[in-house]
Amino acid sequence: MSVAREVRTTCPYCGVGCGVIAAPQPDGSVSIKGDPDHPANFGRLCSKGLALAETIGLEERLLSPEIDGNRAGWDEALDLVAQKFSDAIAEHGPDSVAFYVSGQLLTEDYYVANKLMKGFIGSANIDTNSRLCMASSVAGHRRAFGSDTVPGTYEDLELADLVVLTGSNLAWCHPVLYQRLAAAKERRPEMKVVLIDPRRTMTADIADLHLAIAPDGDTALFAGLLRHLGESGIISRDYVEKHTNGINEALASVRSYDVEKVAEEAGLSIRDLQAFYDLFARNERTVTVYSQGVNQSAVGTDKVNAIINCHLATGRIGRPGVGPFSVTGQPNAMGGREVGGLANMLAAHMDLENSWHRDLVRRFWRAPRLAEKPGLKAVEMFNAVADGRIKALWIMATNPADSMPDADAVVAALKACPFVVVSDISSATDTLRHAHVRLPSTGWGEKDGTVTNSERRISRQRAFLFPPGEARPDWWQIAEVARRMGFNEAFAYSSPAEIFREHAALSALENDGARDFDIGAYAGVTAPAYQGLEPFQWPAPALRESAFEGAMPGRAEGGDLRFFADGGFYTPDRRARFVAISPTMRNVTEAAYPMVLNTGRVRDHWHTMTRTGKSVRLSAHLAEPYAEIHPEDALRFGIRGAELVRVESRHGTAVVRALVSNRQRRGSVFLPMHWTDQVAARGRVDALVAPVTDPVSGQPALKNVAVRMSSFKAAFYGFAVSRERPEAEGLDYWALARTTGGWRMELAHGALPESPDALLSKLVGFPAGAEVIAYRDEQRGDHRLAMFNGERLVAALYLSPGPVSVSRGFAAEQLDAAHPDPRSRYRVVAGRTGSARPDIGAIVCSCFGVGADQIAAAARQGCRTVDAIGKTLSAGTNCGSCRAEIRGIVEANRAVAAE
């Protein structure tokens, strides 16, 4: 019996950067488990990571180059890309072309793209989807520290006595880091956790205090905290005097922010405010973790600096268990920042506006025309595509037709652009359909390179699968185009190891501690050493003495690297800068649009679902787009739970399922970002978002959008399962998800169908030899139809005047089952399991496929804790992302259990 080869690699989802062990099996499958030796996760994986093997199939893979929808050879496609870009540059100048890249790229891909655009085309028109999630953190870091430096490490969350989570649903968006925090709190119950979020997210499960803050109230909150620290004598005068500038101006700027004013602007009670301020003041070991709720704002950079101000003022930075900590949303947003993937940055954390840095990079690259001014940031870039300034655009590994604000305008811009190139692994995205040239890229499991996680740890992504079809790495595609544009010598790479060596060497160039990013120790890495590269934190300079006192970061407990405990900032005078903040509350609502839209992620999906949408178990938790609405708002607008709701802004409209929940703040509505035109009728939430950006970072304000809501008047609702993908054209509402043996579909329409049979036939056709068994209640308007071909279920359709009551899990399972007798067929028509086998309900634990009804039944039978549920059903014992949901179900059933 052959032993499977194990390959150590890194997860391609969030910025935690978990180590994964992948083992291709003799039957062609791949086993996945967490790497117990990786210092980010120590063997843990979340539900998405555990399901990675379910997402690497070749369904909907782009497998060959295409020109105008027709298959082409690589030479033909690359020649055309090089010619079109060269022609645009020759006729309209270097700023007439642009690259829009992604945190899904590996560092080596990013490096080559940035080098081509900034060094050889001569424009800085390269930006990344990281602009949508991390740009305000970058800008805030640079304003305060003089560099885009994350000071701390994951270990700090475990060592802290107080962890403040602001704008971060850590439980769902960074689940493994959340589990590390939860485990630390369980070991040390005296540890305190404060959650600052308009919604009571699942992260609140471990919070001692939840501040349900008003949208964009964070700046006022932390301005008031700085004032409180000053008045309470908590300022670390020694640290401030030795290592910072501007404390007096910062304190003066927040003088008016007493608790009464903060309470009014942030929408919080004075009691909760004082509790938070007192916790922060008395706990020396404090870490403030922030993410998209802080960054995705028109005042995001000020929010970041308001947080950093409080840590600088108290000297809580760079030591174990303290510091401001930005957690990144993508697997290689940090790597992109390191190579200068943002339009306003240069390679190796050098500054585009710094003439000395530009000279270093120009000489190192032997660049003929290095860009000398910032390029167009993401929103600006697509505006330039729309108005014709950009003549040729290359999009890599991202889906801006769905993820950019004012997404319908982005689609219109892509349609009008003279030449669009898209490099992707998927053959079906809302962006790819507008490409003149489509280039097939390698995906996770086929790629080879490095990524950097949120704590500055560089890890290898290793290939364990052969590239399918004609797929090629992104770095290879870019280098081939560069060579065809006449830059052969500078792009003669034959492997990612060569690119990494060059990247490392550039980071060390004339860098004796003057810059934070330095991995010069790897500038001479050989190909075998690169292949075996272990995860490491930067900086990792070649051995030498620093010319700058206190410049190099220090190691403390656990051996992790931290910055700034003893100063050594990267400003001209080596001192940190306080930023005087004048909090600005944006009241975006108006009479016609009285609600605030907040967008974000769900637990088991990722970005626009081109990967997670392939997994049956990841699609089972939340299978359709929804709007989370407070009960009082639902009553106000006549919206009932499980019915459909229309959400409108001045820019677009979505129709989604209503989820009425007191976890939502009154006056706000939450919609997830993942659904696209590929899987839903009107679920593209970013079509509603205005193209408003932070004036410093250029990051869009995705979490504070004026909208209105109304009930969608459906003549009927439906649910269907089908072996083949249903045809949904013409329906007002539909949402598709993969399920065992085929597809599941939610549907609704504003007018009754010609007949239920005609609708079933429209959805799935009518195969030869098929027969339909039906139940019809004309008076109530309920119809249930099941189509069989022999013993196999082809499709089933359930229709009702209101939301359909049917066991969705049971119906979907029947696609994979045999139905030789009438009883089993009638059970399919009924949509019920029967008394012999209770329905498990909606999936709560994706890892073990445990449903809400199973958990509720166990709770009623005496399992009164989450751990007891885990022992009985295994739910919540693996990645732990579902533990908060389990707790809610247990508590709801506790009274029944007591009786």
Side-chain angles (χ1 to χ4, degrees), residues 724-776:
E724 302 297 329
R725 181 183 169 113
E727 174 54 60
E729 186 177 354
L731 290 169
D732 289 330
Y733 177 81
W734 57 269
L736 282 171
R738 292 183 188 272
T739 192
T740 304
W743 296 84
R744 56 177 286 181
M745 181 184 194
E746 302 286 346
L747 60 146
H749 196 60
L752 291 172
E754 176 186 342
S755 71
D757 299 79
L759 178 58
L760 176 62
S761 182
K762 176 183 176 182
L763 292 175
V764 300
F766 204 102
E771 62 172 329
V772 174
I773 300 176
Y775 164 83
R776 308 175 196 276

Short mmCIF file of all heavy atoms in Angstrom, two decimals, residues 724-776:
data_model
loop_
_atom_site.label_atom_id
_atom_site.label_comp_id
_atom_site.label_asym_id
_atom_site.label_seq_id
_atom_site.Cartn_x
_atom_site.Cartn_y
_atom_site.Cartn_z
N GLU A 724 -29.02 18.64 -12.10
CA GLU A 724 -28.30 19.58 -12.94
C GLU A 724 -28.60 20.99 -12.48
O GLU A 724 -29.61 21.25 -11.84
CB GLU A 724 -28.71 19.40 -14.41
CG GLU A 724 -28.47 18.01 -14.97
CD GLU A 724 -27.00 17.62 -14.99
OE1 GLU A 724 -26.16 18.54 -15.15
OE2 GLU A 724 -26.69 16.42 -14.85
N ARG A 725 -27.71 21.93 -12.83
CA ARG A 725 -27.93 23.32 -12.46
C ARG A 725 -29.22 23.83 -13.08
O ARG A 725 -29.38 23.79 -14.31
CB ARG A 725 -26.74 24.17 -12.92
CG ARG A 725 -26.89 25.66 -12.55
CD ARG A 725 -25.72 26.47 -13.11
NE ARG A 725 -26.00 27.90 -12.97
CZ ARG A 725 -25.32 28.73 -12.18
NH1 ARG A 725 -24.32 28.26 -11.45
NH2 ARG A 725 -25.63 30.00 -12.11
N PRO A 726 -30.16 24.35 -12.26
CA PRO A 726 -31.44 24.83 -12.81
C PRO A 726 -31.26 26.09 -13.66
O PRO A 726 -30.33 26.86 -13.47
CB PRO A 726 -32.28 25.13 -11.56
CG PRO A 726 -31.57 24.47 -10.43
CD PRO A 726 -30.12 24.43 -10.80
N GLU A 727 -32.19 26.30 -14.54
CA GLU A 727 -32.24 27.50 -15.36
C GLU A 727 -33.13 28.51 -14.66
O GLU A 727 -34.34 28.29 -14.50
CB GLU A 727 -32.79 27.18 -16.75
CG GLU A 727 -33.01 28.39 -17.63
CD GLU A 727 -31.77 29.25 -17.76
OE1 GLU A 727 -30.74 28.74 -18.24
OE2 GLU A 727 -31.85 30.44 -17.37
N ALA A 728 -32.55 29.63 -14.24
CA ALA A 728 -33.28 30.58 -13.38
C ALA A 728 -33.76 31.82 -14.10
O ALA A 728 -34.40 32.67 -13.49
CB ALA A 728 -32.37 30.99 -12.21
N GLU A 729 -33.47 31.95 -15.38
CA GLU A 729 -33.79 33.19 -16.09
C GLU A 729 -35.27 33.52 -16.01
O GLU A 729 -36.14 32.65 -16.16
CB GLU A 729 -33.37 33.07 -17.56
CG GLU A 729 -33.54 34.36 -18.35
CD GLU A 729 -33.05 34.22 -19.78
OE1 GLU A 729 -32.50 33.16 -20.12
OE2 GLU A 729 -33.25 35.17 -20.55
N GLY A 730 -35.57 34.79 -15.75
CA GLY A 730 -36.95 35.25 -15.72
C GLY A 730 -37.58 35.30 -14.35
O GLY A 730 -38.65 35.89 -14.19
N LEU A 731 -36.93 34.73 -13.34
CA LEU A 731 -37.46 34.78 -11.98
C LEU A 731 -37.00 36.07 -11.29
O LEU A 731 -35.86 36.51 -11.46
CB LEU A 731 -36.98 33.58 -11.17
CG LEU A 731 -37.58 32.22 -11.57
CD1 LEU A 731 -36.82 31.10 -10.88
CD2 LEU A 731 -39.06 32.16 -11.24
N ASP A 732 -37.89 36.65 -10.50
CA ASP A 732 -37.52 37.86 -9.76
C ASP A 732 -36.49 37.58 -8.68
O ASP A 732 -35.64 38.42 -8.38
CB ASP A 732 -38.76 38.48 -9.11
CG ASP A 732 -39.70 39.10 -10.12
OD1 ASP A 732 -39.21 39.57 -11.16
OD2 ASP A 732 -40.92 39.13 -9.86
N TYR A 733 -36.57 36.41 -8.09
CA TYR A 733 -35.61 36.05 -7.03
C TYR A 733 -35.20 34.59 -7.18
O TYR A 733 -36.05 33.71 -7.41
CB TYR A 733 -36.23 36.23 -5.64
CG TYR A 733 -35.28 35.78 -4.53
CD1 TYR A 733 -34.27 36.62 -4.08
CD2 TYR A 733 -35.39 34.52 -3.97
CE1 TYR A 733 -33.38 36.21 -3.10
CE2 TYR A 733 -34.51 34.10 -2.98
CZ TYR A 733 -33.51 34.94 -2.55
OH TYR A 733 -32.62 34.53 -1.58
N TRP A 734 -33.93 34.35 -7.12
CA TRP A 734 -33.42 32.98 -7.05
C TRP A 734 -32.04 33.01 -6.42
O TRP A 734 -31.32 34.01 -6.49
CB TRP A 734 -33.36 32.31 -8.43
CG TRP A 734 -32.55 33.05 -9.46
CD1 TRP A 734 -33.00 33.98 -10.33
CD2 TRP A 734 -31.14 32.91 -9.72
NE1 TRP A 734 -31.97 34.45 -11.12
CE2 TRP A 734 -30.82 33.80 -10.77
CE3 TRP A 734 -30.13 32.12 -9.18
CZ2 TRP A 734 -29.52 33.93 -11.27
CZ3 TRP A 734 -28.83 32.24 -9.69
CH2 TRP A 734 -28.55 33.13 -10.72
N ALA A 735 -31.68 31.94 -5.76
CA ALA A 735 -30.35 31.78 -5.19
C ALA A 735 -29.98 30.31 -5.26
O ALA A 735 -30.74 29.44 -4.82
CB ALA A 735 -30.31 32.27 -3.74
N LEU A 736 -28.80 30.04 -5.82
CA LEU A 736 -28.34 28.67 -6.04
C LEU A 736 -27.21 28.33 -5.08
O LEU A 736 -26.38 29.18 -4.74
CB LEU A 736 -27.82 28.51 -7.46
CG LEU A 736 -28.83 28.34 -8.58
CD1 LEU A 736 -28.12 28.42 -9.93
CD2 LEU A 736 -29.56 27.00 -8.44
N ALA A 737 -27.18 27.06 -4.66
CA ALA A 737 -26.05 26.55 -3.87
C ALA A 737 -25.87 25.08 -4.21
O ALA A 737 -26.84 24.36 -4.50
CB ALA A 737 -26.30 26.74 -2.38
N ARG A 738 -24.63 24.64 -4.16
CA ARG A 738 -24.36 23.23 -4.39
C ARG A 738 -24.84 22.40 -3.21
O ARG A 738 -24.79 22.85 -2.06
CB ARG A 738 -22.87 22.99 -4.63
CG ARG A 738 -22.35 23.60 -5.92
CD ARG A 738 -20.89 23.27 -6.14
NE ARG A 738 -20.36 24.00 -7.27
CZ ARG A 738 -20.39 23.58 -8.54
NH1 ARG A 738 -20.94 22.40 -8.81
NH2 ARG A 738 -19.89 24.30 -9.51
N THR A 739 -25.28 21.19 -3.52
CA THR A 739 -25.68 20.27 -2.47
C THR A 739 -25.30 18.87 -2.90
O THR A 739 -24.82 18.66 -4.02
CB THR A 739 -27.19 20.39 -2.19
OG1 THR A 739 -27.50 19.68 -0.99
CG2 THR A 739 -28.02 19.84 -3.35
N THR A 740 -25.48 17.92 -2.02
CA THR A 740 -25.11 16.55 -2.32
C THR A 740 -25.84 16.07 -3.57
O THR A 740 -27.07 16.08 -3.61
CB THR A 740 -25.45 15.63 -1.14
OG1 THR A 740 -24.80 16.14 0.03
CG2 THR A 740 -24.98 14.21 -1.40
N GLY A 741 -25.11 15.71 -4.58
CA GLY A 741 -25.72 15.17 -5.79
C GLY A 741 -26.24 16.19 -6.76
O GLY A 741 -26.84 15.82 -7.79
N GLY A 742 -26.06 17.49 -6.48
CA GLY A 742 -26.56 18.48 -7.44
C GLY A 742 -26.65 19.87 -6.87
O GLY A 742 -25.68 20.38 -6.30
N TRP A 743 -27.85 20.49 -7.00
CA TRP A 743 -28.04 21.89 -6.65
C TRP A 743 -29.30 22.06 -5.81
O TRP A 743 -30.26 21.29 -5.95
CB TRP A 743 -28.18 22.74 -7.91
CG TRP A 743 -26.96 22.75 -8.77
CD1 TRP A 743 -26.61 21.82 -9.70
CD2 TRP A 743 -25.92 23.73 -8.76
NE1 TRP A 743 -25.40 22.16 -10.28
CE2 TRP A 743 -24.97 23.34 -9.72
CE3 TRP A 743 -25.71 24.91 -8.05
CZ2 TRP A 743 -23.83 24.07 -9.99
CZ3 TRP A 743 -24.57 25.65 -8.31
CH2 TRP A 743 -23.63 25.23 -9.26
N ARG A 744 -29.30 23.08 -4.97
CA ARG A 744 -30.52 23.52 -4.29
C ARG A 744 -30.80 24.95 -4.71
O ARG A 744 -29.87 25.71 -5.02
CB ARG A 744 -30.39 23.40 -2.77
CG ARG A 744 -29.22 24.15 -2.20
CD ARG A 744 -29.18 24.06 -0.68
NE ARG A 744 -30.22 24.89 -0.06
CZ ARG A 744 -30.38 25.00 1.24
NH1 ARG A 744 -29.59 24.34 2.08
NH2 ARG A 744 -31.34 25.77 1.74
N MET A 745 -32.06 25.31 -4.71
CA MET A 745 -32.44 26.63 -5.24
C MET A 745 -33.61 27.20 -4.45
O MET A 745 -34.62 26.53 -4.24
CB MET A 745 -32.84 26.49 -6.71
CG MET A 745 -33.22 27.79 -7.39
SD MET A 745 -33.80 27.44 -9.07
CE MET A 745 -33.76 29.07 -9.79
N GLU A 746 -33.44 28.41 -3.97
CA GLU A 746 -34.53 29.20 -3.42
C GLU A 746 -35.05 30.09 -4.55
O GLU A 746 -34.26 30.63 -5.33
CB GLU A 746 -34.06 30.05 -2.25
CG GLU A 746 -33.43 29.28 -1.10
CD GLU A 746 -34.43 28.52 -0.25
OE1 GLU A 746 -35.66 28.80 -0.39
OE2 GLU A 746 -34.02 27.66 0.54
N LEU A 747 -36.37 30.26 -4.63
CA LEU A 747 -36.90 31.07 -5.71
C LEU A 747 -38.20 31.77 -5.29
O LEU A 747 -38.87 31.33 -4.35
CB LEU A 747 -37.14 30.24 -6.98
CG LEU A 747 -38.12 29.06 -6.89
CD1 LEU A 747 -38.87 28.90 -8.20
CD2 LEU A 747 -37.36 27.77 -6.58
N ALA A 748 -38.52 32.82 -5.98
CA ALA A 748 -39.76 33.56 -5.76
C ALA A 748 -40.00 34.43 -6.98
O ALA A 748 -39.08 34.75 -7.74
CB ALA A 748 -39.69 34.41 -4.50
N HIS A 749 -41.26 34.85 -7.14
CA HIS A 749 -41.59 35.68 -8.30
C HIS A 749 -42.80 36.53 -7.98
O HIS A 749 -43.64 36.17 -7.14
CB HIS A 749 -41.87 34.79 -9.52
CG HIS A 749 -41.85 35.53 -10.83
ND1 HIS A 749 -40.73 36.20 -11.27
CD2 HIS A 749 -42.81 35.74 -11.77
CE1 HIS A 749 -40.99 36.76 -12.44
NE2 HIS A 749 -42.26 36.50 -12.76
N GLY A 750 -42.90 37.65 -8.65
CA GLY A 750 -43.99 38.58 -8.39
C GLY A 750 -45.29 38.20 -9.04
O GLY A 750 -46.33 38.80 -8.75
N ALA A 751 -45.28 37.20 -9.93
CA ALA A 751 -46.50 36.74 -10.59
C ALA A 751 -46.53 35.21 -10.53
O ALA A 751 -45.49 34.55 -10.49
CB ALA A 751 -46.54 37.20 -12.04
N LEU A 752 -47.73 34.66 -10.51
CA LEU A 752 -47.87 33.20 -10.47
C LEU A 752 -47.38 32.58 -11.77
O LEU A 752 -47.51 33.17 -12.85
CB LEU A 752 -49.33 32.83 -10.24
CG LEU A 752 -49.91 33.15 -8.86
CD1 LEU A 752 -51.42 32.91 -8.85
CD2 LEU A 752 -49.22 32.32 -7.78
N PRO A 753 -46.81 31.38 -11.69
CA PRO A 753 -46.36 30.71 -12.92
C PRO A 753 -47.55 30.23 -13.74
O PRO A 753 -48.67 30.11 -13.23
CB PRO A 753 -45.54 29.53 -12.38
CG PRO A 753 -46.16 29.23 -11.05
CD PRO A 753 -46.58 30.55 -10.49
N GLU A 754 -47.32 29.96 -15.00
CA GLU A 754 -48.37 29.42 -15.87
C GLU A 754 -48.97 28.17 -15.23
O GLU A 754 -50.18 27.99 -15.19
CB GLU A 754 -47.78 29.10 -17.24
CG GLU A 754 -48.74 28.45 -18.20
CD GLU A 754 -48.06 28.04 -19.50
OE1 GLU A 754 -46.95 28.56 -19.78
OE2 GLU A 754 -48.63 27.20 -20.21
N SER A 755 -48.10 27.32 -14.72
CA SER A 755 -48.50 26.15 -13.93
C SER A 755 -47.26 25.65 -13.21
O SER A 755 -46.13 25.89 -13.66
CB SER A 755 -49.07 25.04 -14.82
OG SER A 755 -48.02 24.45 -15.58
N PRO A 756 -47.43 24.95 -12.08
CA PRO A 756 -46.25 24.40 -11.40
C PRO A 756 -45.47 23.45 -12.30
O PRO A 756 -44.24 23.44 -12.28
CB PRO A 756 -46.87 23.67 -10.20
CG PRO A 756 -48.15 24.39 -9.94
CD PRO A 756 -48.66 24.78 -11.29
N ASP A 757 -46.17 22.66 -13.11
CA ASP A 757 -45.47 21.71 -14.00
C ASP A 757 -44.64 22.46 -15.04
O ASP A 757 -43.52 22.05 -15.37
CB ASP A 757 -46.50 20.81 -14.69
CG ASP A 757 -47.31 20.00 -13.71
OD1 ASP A 757 -48.26 20.56 -13.11
OD2 ASP A 757 -46.98 18.82 -13.52
N ALA A 758 -45.18 23.55 -15.56
CA ALA A 758 -44.44 24.34 -16.55
C ALA A 758 -43.20 24.96 -15.92
O ALA A 758 -42.13 25.03 -16.56
CB ALA A 758 -45.34 25.43 -17.14
N LEU A 759 -43.33 25.41 -14.67
CA LEU A 759 -42.18 25.99 -13.99
C LEU A 759 -41.10 24.94 -13.75
O LEU A 759 -39.91 25.20 -13.98
CB LEU A 759 -42.61 26.61 -12.66
CG LEU A 759 -41.50 27.23 -11.80
CD1 LEU A 759 -40.75 28.31 -12.57
CD2 LEU A 759 -42.07 27.79 -10.50
N LEU A 760 -41.49 23.74 -13.32
CA LEU A 760 -40.52 22.67 -13.13
C LEU A 760 -39.81 22.35 -14.43
O LEU A 760 -38.58 22.19 -14.47
CB LEU A 760 -41.22 21.42 -12.58
CG LEU A 760 -40.34 20.19 -12.40
CD1 LEU A 760 -39.24 20.45 -11.38
CD2 LEU A 760 -41.18 18.98 -11.97
N SER A 761 -40.56 22.28 -15.50
CA SER A 761 -39.97 21.98 -16.81
C SER A 761 -39.01 23.09 -17.24
O SER A 761 -37.96 22.83 -17.82
CB SER A 761 -41.08 21.78 -17.84
OG SER A 761 -40.52 21.45 -19.10
N LYS A 762 -39.37 24.34 -16.94
CA LYS A 762 -38.48 25.46 -17.29
C LYS A 762 -37.18 25.40 -16.51
O LYS A 762 -36.10 25.69 -17.04
CB LYS A 762 -39.20 26.78 -17.00
CG LYS A 762 -38.35 28.01 -17.25
CD LYS A 762 -39.08 29.28 -16.88
CE LYS A 762 -38.19 30.50 -17.05
NZ LYS A 762 -38.87 31.76 -16.66
N LEU A 763 -37.28 24.99 -15.25
CA LEU A 763 -36.09 24.95 -14.41
C LEU A 763 -35.12 23.85 -14.83
O LEU A 763 -33.91 24.06 -14.87
CB LEU A 763 -36.49 24.75 -12.94
CG LEU A 763 -37.23 25.89 -12.25
CD1 LEU A 763 -37.65 25.47 -10.85
CD2 LEU A 763 -36.36 27.14 -12.17
N VAL A 764 -35.64 22.66 -15.11
CA VAL A 764 -34.75 21.50 -15.30
C VAL A 764 -34.98 20.76 -16.62
O VAL A 764 -34.31 19.76 -16.89
CB VAL A 764 -34.90 20.51 -14.13
CG1 VAL A 764 -34.54 21.18 -12.83
CG2 VAL A 764 -36.31 19.93 -14.06
N GLY A 765 -35.95 21.22 -17.43
CA GLY A 765 -36.26 20.48 -18.64
C GLY A 765 -37.13 19.26 -18.32
O GLY A 765 -37.63 19.11 -17.19
N PHE A 766 -37.28 18.39 -19.31
CA PHE A 766 -38.08 17.17 -19.09
C PHE A 766 -37.37 16.02 -19.81
O PHE A 766 -37.61 15.76 -20.99
CB PHE A 766 -39.51 17.34 -19.61
CG PHE A 766 -40.49 16.43 -18.93
CD1 PHE A 766 -41.33 16.91 -17.95
CD2 PHE A 766 -40.56 15.08 -19.28
CE1 PHE A 766 -42.23 16.06 -17.30
CE2 PHE A 766 -41.45 14.23 -18.63
CZ PHE A 766 -42.29 14.72 -17.65
N PRO A 767 -36.48 15.33 -19.08
CA PRO A 767 -35.71 14.25 -19.72
C PRO A 767 -36.63 13.14 -20.24
O PRO A 767 -37.69 12.88 -19.67
CB PRO A 767 -34.82 13.73 -18.57
CG PRO A 767 -34.83 14.82 -17.54
CD PRO A 767 -36.13 15.52 -17.68
N ALA A 768 -36.19 12.49 -21.30
CA ALA A 768 -36.95 11.37 -21.85
C ALA A 768 -37.10 10.29 -20.78
O ALA A 768 -36.15 9.94 -20.09
CB ALA A 768 -36.23 10.81 -23.08
N GLY A 769 -38.30 9.76 -20.66
CA GLY A 769 -38.55 8.69 -19.70
C GLY A 769 -38.86 9.16 -18.30
O GLY A 769 -39.13 8.34 -17.42
N ALA A 770 -38.84 10.48 -18.06
CA ALA A 770 -39.08 10.99 -16.72
C ALA A 770 -40.57 10.98 -16.41
O ALA A 770 -41.42 11.06 -17.31
CB ALA A 770 -38.53 12.40 -16.58
N GLU A 771 -40.92 10.87 -15.13
CA GLU A 771 -42.30 10.97 -14.68
C GLU A 771 -42.37 11.88 -13.47
O GLU A 771 -41.41 12.00 -12.72
CB GLU A 771 -42.86 9.59 -14.32
CG GLU A 771 -42.13 8.90 -13.18
CD GLU A 771 -42.83 7.62 -12.73
OE1 GLU A 771 -44.07 7.57 -12.85
OE2 GLU A 771 -42.12 6.71 -12.25
N VAL A 772 -43.50 12.55 -13.30
CA VAL A 772 -43.68 13.50 -12.21
C VAL A 772 -44.77 13.01 -11.28
O VAL A 772 -45.87 12.63 -11.73
CB VAL A 772 -44.04 14.90 -12.75
CG1 VAL A 772 -44.37 15.86 -11.61
CG2 VAL A 772 -42.90 15.45 -13.59
N ILE A 773 -44.46 12.99 -9.99
CA ILE A 773 -45.45 12.72 -8.95
C ILE A 773 -45.71 14.04 -8.25
O ILE A 773 -44.78 14.77 -7.92
CB ILE A 773 -44.93 11.67 -7.95
CG1 ILE A 773 -44.63 10.36 -8.68
CG2 ILE A 773 -45.94 11.44 -6.83
CD1 ILE A 773 -44.02 9.30 -7.78
N ALA A 774 -46.97 14.35 -8.00
CA ALA A 774 -47.28 15.68 -7.48
C ALA A 774 -48.34 15.63 -6.38
O ALA A 774 -49.19 14.73 -6.34
CB ALA A 774 -47.76 16.58 -8.61
N TYR A 775 -48.24 16.60 -5.49
CA TYR A 775 -49.29 16.89 -4.51
C TYR A 775 -49.73 18.32 -4.78
O TYR A 775 -48.90 19.23 -4.90
CB TYR A 775 -48.75 16.76 -3.08
CG TYR A 775 -49.64 17.42 -2.04
CD1 TYR A 775 -50.74 16.75 -1.53
CD2 TYR A 775 -49.39 18.72 -1.61
CE1 TYR A 775 -51.57 17.35 -0.59
CE2 TYR A 775 -50.21 19.33 -0.67
CZ TYR A 775 -51.31 18.64 -0.16
OH TYR A 775 -52.11 19.24 0.75
N ARG A 776 -51.02 18.54 -4.86
CA ARG A 776 -51.52 19.87 -5.20
C ARG A 776 -52.66 20.24 -4.25
O ARG A 776 -53.61 19.48 -4.08
CB ARG A 776 -52.02 19.91 -6.64
CG ARG A 776 -51.02 19.38 -7.66
CD ARG A 776 -51.65 19.34 -9.06
NE ARG A 776 -50.88 18.51 -9.97
CZ ARG A 776 -49.81 18.91 -10.65
NH1 ARG A 776 -49.38 20.15 -10.51
NH2 ARG A 776 -49.18 18.08 -11.46
#
